[in-house]
Amino acid sequence: RGDVVAAGDVLAELDVEALHRQLAQAELAVETAQTDLESAEAQRAYELARARLSLEMERIALDKLRAYDPDADLAVAEVELEQARIDLQAAQAQYDAVKDVADIAMRPEAQALQNATLAYTRAQVAYDRAVSQAAQHTFDVQTQARRVDLARLDVERLEGGVDPRLHQAVAKAELD
């Protein structure tokens, strides 16, 4: 107070170094928030592409299950079982005709009976499996339909975009 000053004399100096540091920190925060947002958007795009492919694969699997007719396999297995039963009866009749012959186990009729018995057993197992698969088919279709629903939900969730808090973080950092 009371000093004589001339035009251009420095009257006071402000220390702006702290302000420059705060500005640099705020700019870094903006860059970090932008990077986080871009990374999240890239990850979401990748996951969305995978989810869409997964949905398509689940739909194809469902279409395949729906197109499958277990009754056709069951009918084939039933026919094969009946044929094996007829063959077994014929082999048994041939065996019975020579069963009193010595060394019956060495005769071709014994071998034929054994082969027919094995074929009948295989046909019975195949038939039982076909019956089981036919009963399971409806459940398989329902389960696959739920997998399609889950895949569709994943796609819908990812189509909603990234977490909105990431956009808010960028906006806050820009304001700061």
Side-chain angles (χ1 to χ4, degrees):
R1 215 173 259 229
D3 287 348
V4 178
V5 293
D9 287 348
V10 175
L11 300 179
E13 284 186 334
L14 294 176
D15 184 8
V16 292
E17 187 61 34
L19 293 176
H20 286 297
R21 280 193 304 275
Q22 288 176 350
L23 178 60
Q25 287 174 344
E27 288 172 342
L28 183 60
V30 169
E31 287 178 28
T32 300
Q34 285 279 9
T35 301
D36 290 347
L37 176 60
E38 290 167 4
S39 175
E41 287 175 340
Q43 182 66 28
R44 183 196 66 86
Y46 169 77
E47 289 176 6
L48 180 58
R50 283 187 58 90
R52 285 179 175 154
L53 285 174
S54 178
L55 175 59
E56 185 59 27
M57 289 183 340
E58 296 294 352
R59 284 181 176 155
I60 289 169
L62 179 59
D63 291 343
K64 182 180 175 183
L65 276 174
R66 285 181 174 157
Y68 170 68
D69 182 10
D71 292 335
D73 286 346
L74 184 59
V76 168
E78 190 172 1
V79 167
E80 289 174 352
L81 179 60
E82 181 60 21
Q83 182 62 53
R85 186 187 63 75
I86 291 169
D87 292 345
L88 179 58
Q89 286 176 342
Q92 184 69 54
Q94 290 174 353
Y95 178 84
D96 288 345
V98 295
K99 68 181 177 183
D100 295 327
V101 175
D103 287 336
I104 186 63
M106 303 303 283
R107 299 218 20 133
E109 291 86 354
Q111 183 64 39
L113 178 59
Q114 185 177 14
N115 289 340
T117 302
L118 291 172
Y120 179 80
T121 302
R122 280 193 299 272
Q124 182 67 54
V125 168
Y127 176 77
D128 292 344
R129 185 178 303 140
V131 168
S132 175
Q133 287 175 343
Q136 183 74 24
H137 184 257
T138 301
F139 174 75
D140 291 343
V141 169
Q142 291 171 346
T143 300
Q144 188 60 39
R146 294 304 155 270
R147 286 186 179 128
V148 168
D149 292 342
L150 287 173
R152 186 179 307 115
L153 286 174
D154 284 343
V155 169
E156 290 171 1
R157 177 183 57 85
L158 290 165
E159 285 176 341
V162 297
D163 187 348
R165 291 177 290 187
L166 292 171
H167 289 287
Q168 293 168 350
V170 170
K172 181 185 180 307
E174 287 172 345
L175 286 175
D176 288 347

